[in-house]
Amino acid sequence: MTTDTTPQTQTQTAKTAPAPAALLYAIIGGSLLTIVSAFLAWTWTADFPGDLTFYGSPADLQYITLAGAALTLVHALSALGVKGFGWLTPAGSRKAIWFLALGNAAATWFTVIAITVVLGGVINLEPGAYVALVGSLVPALAAYKLPDDSRKVTPAKSTLPNWAEILIITGVFALGLFVITFGIDTDDKEPQLFVAYLITVGLAALALNKSGLLARFSVLTANNRQVTLLGTAAAAIAFPFIQQSGDTYTLIAVNILIFATVALGLNIVVGLAGLLDLGYVAFLGVGAYAAALVSGSTASAFGIHLPFWAAVIVGAIVSLVFGVVIGAPTLRLRGDYLAIVTLGFGEIFRIAMGNLDGTSGPDVTNGPNGIPNIPHLEIFGWNFGESHTVAGIELGAYANYYFLMLLVMALVVLVFARAGNSRIGRAWVAIREDETAAEAMGINGFKVKLIAFALGATLAGLAGTVQAHVNTTVVPENYVFAGPVPPNSAFLLAAVILGGMGTIRGPILGAALLFLIPAKLAFLQDYQLLAFGIALILLMRFRPEGLIANKRAQLEFHDDTADQAPKDLATAKAGA
């Protein structure tokens, strides 16, 4: 049977298939229509959170739609070859436009559906909502039909002058700070706003990665490491100064930093050494309880008040001792057996803290009531429990702990980076990949694993000392294996896996997402674990190496050489 390839058939096919230019014009037109819709009213009543009733003055939800449409528009102009936009898509435009258009359509349709559900029917929609629905749907459908134009981009040295590179890095960090602050500052009474924000930002980040723009930016940051570090520090320090709602969201940022710091410590144990620890949150509790007992709490059984630096040392040393005591007899186990033993240790710690109440055991921890009334820190006369005015801006009490946790985070990052690149770090990686082969090469597996376990416990205890003063109370229920409120062992492990094992930025990103999302979507608390499980399944299916993967994991999970081997072998046999 032969295929008809006559010129008449080819001409008909060419006429019926849409040209890429036509698809791009459809994307541009739909994006412009969506931008216009943001300046129209989407509903007639202010009962819907956010007040989408104004003409010419977009609300926050409409600004999200506006931003998504604008990004889709400029990427479509890049694909069309308009001068000045080509740098946006060095790795191809099709996937980038598709993810941007999909994110914009999903966020817009979610908002409109939420309006009809909350207000009780489509009768509450104004013309702007219908314009937004059509305008966002057209680019998504057209982008899906775009031909694949992906191409491999080899990172090359930037040809821009040094001042231009620094200006770009500064602008990107300023934009990133604005985007992060916008997400954290979303009102808890407007969960629809945070969901739309999450959809748009998530798919936009994926689109920028697919377009190759992030790879180009990484070249600029690699050429200007000192500027990048200074920019990161400046953006982090500036966060409390741009808060408009006082300490409400600064406290969320403090808890994210605590969670991320503990996740980095766990990353040493799991990501570098490959030890599955399911009771790691207990070391956070050890540091918190140790600091609470020596920090002058009225409920402390010791009745002593050490300065903060001494309390930090006590918490870190006690956690180190517990890490060695628990690790010495258990680290001779491997795999599932080690995981079960560490899980048991975590539960033993929680139960023991609840029983040391003077009735079931010695009166040390006040039992289930915990240790309350932990006084705020005071360093060089600076009381962390009071507001202070800096550069004419009043900073709340939690801003003090925010800056303190930035220092702790910097210390933990430095320890992780130095340890990972050291001789012991390479030994951890060797143990993780194949313990038997590593021991055959002369590595003392037990000693190396014990060092990782002890170091991870010390870093968790360090974060625990700050957490005790931030919360001003310590109770056993804060240190469980799994629960609705992080940090707990399950969420810590998930943060490492979600972000990317063995990296620095990965666990920080994973911890931020896993803390911020439940805090902002409290109305879904009953379905939190269900959504959490679905997210992990999708992650393992589509990106098993994590959101920010190291090169070793990326090659391991996405190596195409195995797919080529059978074909080459068959070709070789056929040729022979």
Side-chain angles (χ1 to χ4, degrees):
M1 181 177 180
T2 59
T3 304
D4 186 7
T5 58
T6 60
Q8 182 179 1
T9 305
Q10 294 175 352
T11 303
Q12 292 175 352
T13 304
K15 289 181 179 179
T16 56
L23 294 174
L24 292 174
Y25 284 126
I27 295 171
I28 293 173
S31 300
L32 290 173
L33 192 63
T34 308
I35 293 174
V36 171
S37 72
F39 294 89
L40 305 176
W42 288 16
T43 182
W44 61 272
T45 174
D47 292 339
F48 185 79
D51 196 358
L52 311 179
T53 62
F54 294 99
Y55 284 86
S57 178
D60 287 340
L61 273 167
Q62 293 167 312
Y63 271 120
I64 290 178
T65 294
L66 175 63
L71 286 173
T72 307
L73 173 63
V74 296
H75 278 73
L77 293 175
S78 173
L80 197 60
V82 177
K83 187 177 180 180
F85 292 92
W87 57 272
L88 285 171
T89 55
S93 59
R94 190 264 174 184
K95 290 183 178 179
I97 297 175
W98 160 239
F99 284 119
L100 287 171
L102 179 63
N104 189 36
T108 303
W109 278 70
F110 167 79
T111 302
V112 175
I113 293 173
I115 293 174
T116 61
V117 172
V118 172
L119 299 181
V122 296
I123 191 67
N124 297 286
L125 297 179
E126 286 288 292
Y130 295 105
V131 175
L133 289 177
V134 176
S136 61
L137 183 61
V138 170
L141 296 177
Y144 181 74
K145 291 294 184 180
L146 281 176
D148 188 10
D149 62 346
S150 58
R151 50 191 177 271
K152 186 176 181 181
V153 177
T154 302
K157 292 184 178 180
S158 175
T159 57
L160 296 173
N162 190 50
W163 64 266
E165 293 183 353
I166 295 176
L167 188 62
I168 292 174
I169 293 173
T170 304
V172 170
F173 274 114
L175 179 62
L177 177 62
F178 170 78
V179 172
I180 293 173
T181 303
F182 184 90
I184 294 179
D185 285 356
T186 53
D187 194 341
D188 294 342
K189 297 179 181 179
E190 299 181 38
Q192 300 88 355
L193 176 60
F194 183 75
V195 172
Y197 163 85
L198 201 62
I199 294 172
T200 302
V201 171
L203 289 176
L206 186 58
L208 295 178
N209 182 51
K210 293 295 184 181
S211 69
L213 202 57
L214 293 183
R216 282 197 168 180
F217 181 70
S218 66
V219 174
L220 297 183
T221 56
N223 294 339
N224 302 271
R225 293 185 181 275
Q226 294 182 350
V227 174
T228 302
L229 290 175
L230 290 175
T232 303
I237 293 173
F239 175 80
F241 291 94
I242 59 177
Q243 294 298 297
Q244 303 297 324
S245 53
D247 263 5
T248 303
Y249 302 116
T250 306
L251 177 58
I252 294 179
V254 172
N255 286 320
I256 288 175
L257 289 176
I258 293 174
F259 192 11
T261 301
V262 182
L264 275 175
L266 180 60
N267 196 23
I268 293 178
V269 180
V270 177
L272 294 181
L275 305 174
L276 184 55
D277 188 349
L278 298 182
Y280 186 76
V281 74
F283 296 119
L284 176 69
V286 170
Y289 265 99
L293 289 171
V294 299
S295 293
S297 170
T298 56
S300 173
F302 298 157
I304 59 177
H305 189 178
L306 298 179
F308 174 65
W309 63 267
V312 168
I313 294 176
V314 169
I317 290 178
V318 173
S319 297
L320 170 63
V321 171
F322 267 82
V324 174
V325 170
I326 299 302
T330 61
L331 288 178
R332 301 186 186 278
L333 302 175
R334 298 186 186 182
D336 299 339
Y337 302 101
L338 176 62
I340 292 172
V341 170
T342 54
L343 174 61
F345 163 66
E347 290 301 299
I348 289 171
F349 169 79
R350 179 181 60 84
I351 295 172
M353 294 301 102
N355 287 336
L356 297 179
D357 57 356
T359 301
S360 303
D363 186 8
V364 178
T365 64
N366 207 23
N369 296 324
I371 304 176
N373 303 323
I374 301 173
H376 286 288
L377 299 177
E378 186 168 346
I379 302 177
F380 301 115
W382 185 281
N383 192 322
F384 279 52
E386 299 176 354
S387 299
H388 299 277
T389 301
V390 179
I393 300 176
E394 184 177 356
L395 299 179
Y398 290 119
N400 303 316
Y401 288 105
Y402 174 83
F403 292 128
L404 177 62
M405 277 309 305
L406 282 182
L407 294 177
V408 175
M409 170 72 77
L411 175 62
V412 173
V413 168
L414 179 63
V415 171
F416 183 92
R418 294 295 185 183
N421 294 325
S422 66
R423 179 180 178 183
I424 190 69
R426 292 191 293 271
W428 286 336
V429 174
I431 289 291
R432 181 193 67 193
E433 297 299 325
D434 192 328
E435 184 174 350
T436 303
E439 290 179 346
M441 296 300 294
I443 296 176
N444 187 332
F446 173 75
K447 179 180 177 181
V448 167
K449 291 190 292 184
L450 186 60
I451 293 175
F453 210 74
L455 180 58
T458 304
L459 297 181
L462 181 65
T465 60
V466 180
Q467 186 198 40
H469 289 87
V470 171
N471 296 337
T472 67
T473 184
V474 179
V475 292
E477 286 72 19
N478 288 344
Y479 310 103
V480 298
F481 169 70
V485 180
N488 52 64
S489 292
F491 273 76
L492 286 170
L493 185 60
V496 175
I497 297 174
L498 171 67
M501 293 191 296
T503 65
I504 294 177
R505 295 174 297 167
I508 297 175
L509 175 61
L513 292 176
L514 289 180
F515 190 94
L516 186 61
I517 293 175
K520 290 296 182 181
L521 303 180
F523 70 99
L524 292 177
Q525 185 171 356
D526 294 339
Y527 306 98
Q528 186 181 116
L529 292 180
L530 173 63
F532 179 58
I534 294 174
L536 285 182
I537 292 173
L538 294 176
L539 179 70
M540 292 299 100
R541 169 61 182 84
F542 295 104
R543 195 168 178 84
E545 71 273 20
L547 297 177
I548 302 177
N550 61 16
K551 294 181 180 180
R552 184 190 300 270
Q554 208 159 21
L555 291 174
E556 180 180 349
F557 287 107
H558 298 284
D559 188 5
D560 297 331
T561 57
D563 297 333
Q564 297 296 330
K567 297 178 182 180
D568 296 339
L569 184 59
T571 304
K573 288 184 177 179

